[in-house]
């Protein structure tokens, strides 16, 4: 958030993208980076927010941390982050009421940044491996029986067209699994397990004629 010209950071989220077309498929909050690696990200954030003159709004900033520790800006927008980060991951892991705070800063009030939880929360996208017609996912019941899983969201409706990148970037994500745990590694493990359990059903669709 930005309130009174000051950038107030709810946290840094680690993000994974595919190697080929950079499709975002996993986020975990808060980051596993040590404090020394987080400081350049915070510095970049404060510099960019001040340079753009953002105020009285929520914002999200995306950056890439290079192997030498340098941080490069990818995106900034005066809106909350997507991917269930602000709606689910931050409140689940920290207790910060992000959606309520979004309204507070928009109406001139200071956000409530008190952390009442100390957990880790993550989301994993079940991605399609082929084009076709989405007929559902087998293994959802097994995923929901995993103790750490909190939510399962359908991203595509049954019968929807599945299109892989680069032809489309939004028709490859079939569903999202959200989990929380006391340890970062446990969140990673349950998201990996969910991916193994998920068995998408995608029917081949022959072109007309």
């Amino acid at each position: 958030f930005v309130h009174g010209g000051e950038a107030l950071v709810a946290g840094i989220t680690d993000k994974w993208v595919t190697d080929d077309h950079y499709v975002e498929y996993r986020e975990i909050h808060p980051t596993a980076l040590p404090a020394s690696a987080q400081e350049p990200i915070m510095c970049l954030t404060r510099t960019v927010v001040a340079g753009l003159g953002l105020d009285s709004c929520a914002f999200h900033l995306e950056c890439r941390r290079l192997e030498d520790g340098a941080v490069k800006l990818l995106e900034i927008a005066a809106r909350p982050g997507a991917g269930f980060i602000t709606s689910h991951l931050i409140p689940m892991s920290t207790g910060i009421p992000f959606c309520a705070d979004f309204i507070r800063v928009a109406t001139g009030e200071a956000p409530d940044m008190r952390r009442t939880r100390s957990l880790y929360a993550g989301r994993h996208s079940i991605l399609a491996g082929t084009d076709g017609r989405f007929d559902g996912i087998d293994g959802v019941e097994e995923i929901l029986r995993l103790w750490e899983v909190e939510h399962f969201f359908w991203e595509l409706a049954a019968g929807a067209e599945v299109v892989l990148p680069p032809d489309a970037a939004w028709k490859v994500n079939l569903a999202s699994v959200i989990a929380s745990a006391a340890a970062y590694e446990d969140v990673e493990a349950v998201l990996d397990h969910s991916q193994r359990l998920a068995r998408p059903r995608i029917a081949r669709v022959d072109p007309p004629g």
Side-chain angles (χ1 to χ4, degrees), residues 7-131:
L8 305 170
V9 178
I12 299 172
T13 305
D14 293 337
K15 180 176 289 189
W16 286 255
V17 298
T18 59
D19 294 332
D20 47 6
H21 299 292
Y22 301 98
V23 176
E24 299 172 3
Y25 68 90
R26 179 176 293 185
E27 298 89 11
I28 297 181
H29 186 277
T31 181
L33 291 173
S36 59
Q38 294 182 38
E39 182 52 36
I41 298 172
M42 301 293 285
C43 181
L44 172 70
T45 300
R46 291 189 291 265
T47 300
V48 173
V49 167
L52 292 177
L54 298 182
D55 204 357
S56 300
C57 66
F59 75 91
H60 84 282
L61 180 145
E62 296 190 19
C63 61
R64 174 165 296 214
R65 183 174 182 270
L66 306 181
E67 291 184 2
D68 63 359
V71 180
K72 301 296 183 181
L73 176 68
L74 295 178
E75 172 189 349
I76 185 168
R79 62 166 176 82
F84 300 96
I85 295 171
T86 52
S87 61
H88 290 73
L89 303 191
I90 290 176
M92 288 167 58
S93 59
T94 68
I96 293 174
F98 200 98
C99 292
D101 280 344
F102 184 23
I103 297 173
R104 288 189 179 100
V105 296
T107 55
E109 295 184 26
D112 181 359
M113 303 298 286
R114 291 175 297 173
R115 284 163 166 76
T116 59
R117 298 179 185 174
S118 183
L119 298 172
Y120 292 92
R123 178 197 75 106
H124 182 85
S125 294
I126 299 171
L127 302 180
T130 185
D131 295 334

Side-chain angles (χ1 to χ4, degrees), residues 62-201:
E62 296 190 19
C63 61
R64 174 165 296 214
R65 183 174 182 270
L66 306 181
E67 291 184 2
D68 63 359
V71 180
K72 301 296 183 181
L73 176 68
L74 295 178
E75 172 189 349
I76 185 168
R79 62 166 176 82
F84 300 96
I85 295 171
T86 52
S87 61
H88 290 73
L89 303 191
I90 290 176
M92 288 167 58
S93 59
T94 68
I96 293 174
F98 200 98
C99 292
D101 280 344
F102 184 23
I103 297 173
R104 288 189 179 100
V105 296
T107 55
E109 295 184 26
D112 181 359
M113 303 298 286
R114 291 175 297 173
R115 284 163 166 76
T116 59
R117 298 179 185 174
S118 183
L119 298 172
Y120 292 92
R123 178 197 75 106
H124 182 85
S125 294
I126 299 171
L127 302 180
T130 185
D131 295 334
R133 184 189 68 238
F134 179 48
D135 285 347
I137 297 175
D138 293 328
V140 174
E141 290 185 2
E142 292 95 321
I143 292 173
L144 292 175
R145 282 197 289 266
L146 297 176
W147 179 259
E148 298 88 351
V149 169
E150 303 279 357
H151 303 282
F152 184 98
F153 292 103
W154 296 103
E155 303 280 1
L156 284 186
E161 180 186 25
V162 176
V163 182
L164 301 188
D167 296 324
W170 62 92
K171 294 184 177 181
V172 66
N173 184 9
L174 308 177
S176 288
V177 180
I178 295 179
S180 66
Y184 191 100
E185 295 78 10
D186 290 341
V187 174
E188 285 187 297
V190 73
L191 295 180
D192 288 343
H193 195 182
S194 298
Q195 175 63 45
R196 291 191 296 269
L197 291 173
R199 302 181 298 279
R201 301 194 309 274

